[in-house]
Amino acid sequence: MLQLLLTVLLFVESPKDVDSGPVPEAQTALREDLLSKVLHYINSNPETVEELASENDGVLGGDMMSVCFALQNSSAVGTVWPTQEIPYVISPALASRRKHILSAMKMVSKDTCVSFHKRTSETNYLLFTTSNGCASSVGFLGGEQPVYVGPTCLVGNIVHEILHALGIQHEHTRTDRDQYIAVLPHNIMPGMEKNFKKQEGETFDLPYDVTSIMHYGSVFFSSNGRPTIVPKNNVKDMGQRVKMTKMDIEKVRRLYNCDAETQQESSGDGMEVRNMHVVAPNNPVSANKPEKNQTSTVSPSTSLQHLTAATRGNSSTSRGHD
């Protein structure tokens, strides 16, 4: 069963003033209070649930699967997908969550060159599947790559996991974080300290973003309900799961070389024009498109067409809890 129920109960200190044989009403009230706090934690921090619920050490970083973390533990980003056109499959078990998943993909594709389309026969694809919480490997692995969507994972949480799958690590693990946040180890659940470890690697020279959708919230993995992370400036939206910030968008654009696609006419220099979007022949990201899309060029508008068709034009998003 869930180890989570044992771990999260650290939130609540055992009452010292309750007799070994309290009246039934007091016992019931205590159990209800404990359950309420556990449920509140689960709903507020779904990206930590998968690790807390695991019987093994299969998840690190709360929502990052260790198979990729082990390969990418010295990088701020994981392996980039060999294409900007990413196939996906949504498990039938997630039929009721389809709207959230499509809205999450639409949020990622809206301002980037990364697009998502239903898988046909592609070997490499994302599989959105059920789990206890929200989790994903970091970066491209090849083959069927799961993105786990738990009952409390809403649009913003799913966006967070998709960005992991694209190769982006947690913002709070940047080596320059101490200028912007303070990590409080004495409030972290025992054994969960690894989720706050700094990671060396590429940051694309972008400023630290406390409000990034990839940043932890204040009580992630808290053992006592007190903050595990405190911003050094007056920031109200740390750990938000409502939208991608400008820095989140820019990180995806730089990781997937989106700016190599500039709007200009062909000048006869070997550049290929597709709907006013230009792809350089040596673009390392675009060079390995799936066979049927070898000559295609993806634009943000293309990705929106895929998802608008799937959602019948519904672009609503729901606030994810953190």
Side-chain angles (χ1 to χ4, degrees):
M1 198 56 187
L2 297 180
Q3 291 182 355
L4 172 67
L5 294 176
L6 298 176
T7 308
V8 176
L9 285 178
L10 291 172
F11 260 142
V12 186
E13 297 180 3
S14 299
K16 305 295 191 301
D17 56 347
V18 177
D19 190 17
S20 58
V23 295
E25 291 81 3
Q27 287 182 320
T28 300
L30 178 60
R31 283 196 298 269
E32 290 178 351
D33 183 57
L34 293 175
L35 179 60
S36 175
K37 286 180 168 62
V38 170
L39 293 176
H40 176 74
Y41 181 89
I42 293 172
N43 289 326
S44 300
N45 305 278
E47 291 155 25
T48 68
V49 172
E50 187 64 26
E51 180 172 1
L52 294 174
S54 298
E55 300 259 339
N56 52 45
D57 198 25
V59 182
L60 296 170
D63 60 327
M64 299 188 301
M65 308 306 293
S66 61
V67 61
C68 189
F69 191 91
L71 296 175
Q72 303 296 337
N73 63 358
S74 62
S75 176
V77 294
T79 304
V80 177
W81 281 67
T83 176
Q84 297 167 343
E85 302 176 354
I86 299 178
Y88 72 86
V89 171
I90 299 176
S91 167
L94 287 173
S96 64
R97 310 300 310 283
R98 184 176 181 83
K99 179 179 177 181
H100 286 161
I101 295 168
L102 293 175
S103 292
M105 288 189 285
K106 187 171 184 176
M107 187 186 296
V108 174
S109 64
K110 180 177 181 293
D111 296 305
T112 73
C113 59
V114 176
S115 67
F116 303 89
H117 63 275
K118 288 183 180 179
R119 179 199 180 217
T120 53
S121 60
E122 295 91 343
T123 301
N124 306 318
Y125 62 96
L126 293 178
L127 172 65
F128 292 92
T129 188
T130 58
S131 188
N132 296 303
C134 324
S136 173
S137 298
V138 180
F140 175 73
L141 297 181
E144 180 183 279
Q145 184 165 329
V147 176
Y148 295 99
V149 180
T152 59
C153 303
L154 299 182
V155 174
N157 305 114
I158 300 169
V159 169
H160 180 102
E161 302 310 332
I162 292 174
L163 294 184
H164 275 323
L166 292 180
I168 298 176
Q169 297 270 19
H170 287 134
E171 185 76 358
H172 71 275
T173 62
R174 284 177 48 152
T175 57
D176 59 347
R177 72 179 185 197
D178 293 339
Q179 302 174 50
Y180 309 97
I181 62 170
V183 174
L184 308 178
H186 54 282
N187 291 332
I188 297 174
M189 293 177 183
M192 299 297 128
E193 297 85 357
K194 61 184 177 291
N195 299 318
F196 299 82
K197 183 180 178 182
K198 295 178 184 178
Q199 301 293 332
E200 295 279 353
E202 177 64 69
T203 62
F204 302 102
D205 295 322
L206 293 172
Y208 188 93
D209 186 4
V210 179
T211 63
S212 168
I213 203 167
M214 302 306 291
H215 203 291
Y216 268 8
S218 61
V219 294
F220 270 49
F221 293 107
S222 174
S223 64
N224 51 25
R226 300 185 183 95
T228 53
I229 297 178
V230 175
K232 293 189 173 180
N233 295 318
N234 186 20
V235 177
K236 296 181 180 180
D237 295 329
M238 185 180 75
Q240 62 84 21
R241 295 294 183 267
V242 178
K243 64 181 181 179
M244 290 174 63
T245 65
K246 291 181 179 180
M247 290 300 101
D248 291 328
I249 293 168
E250 186 62 22
K251 188 173 292 185
V252 174
R253 292 187 62 83
R254 295 192 187 188
L255 183 60
Y256 281 84
N257 208 13
C258 292
D259 290 336
E261 301 178 356
T262 48
Q263 295 184 355
Q264 57 179 306
E265 296 286 346
S266 174
S267 59
D269 56 359
M271 306 293 273
E272 180 182 345
V273 179
R274 287 286 187 275
N275 298 324
M276 296 298 291
H277 279 68
V278 183
V279 174
N282 295 323
N283 186 330
V285 175
S286 302
N288 296 316
K289 306 274 187 178
E291 289 78 5
K292 69 173 185 174
N293 293 321
Q294 281 292 335
T295 61
S296 67
T297 301
V298 182
S299 68
S301 60
T302 304
S303 61
L304 287 177
Q305 290 170 7
H306 286 307
L307 291 175
T308 298
T311 61
R312 296 185 176 90
N314 190 322
S315 60
S316 63
T317 60
S318 300
R319 177 168 182 142
H321 296 285
D322 228 305

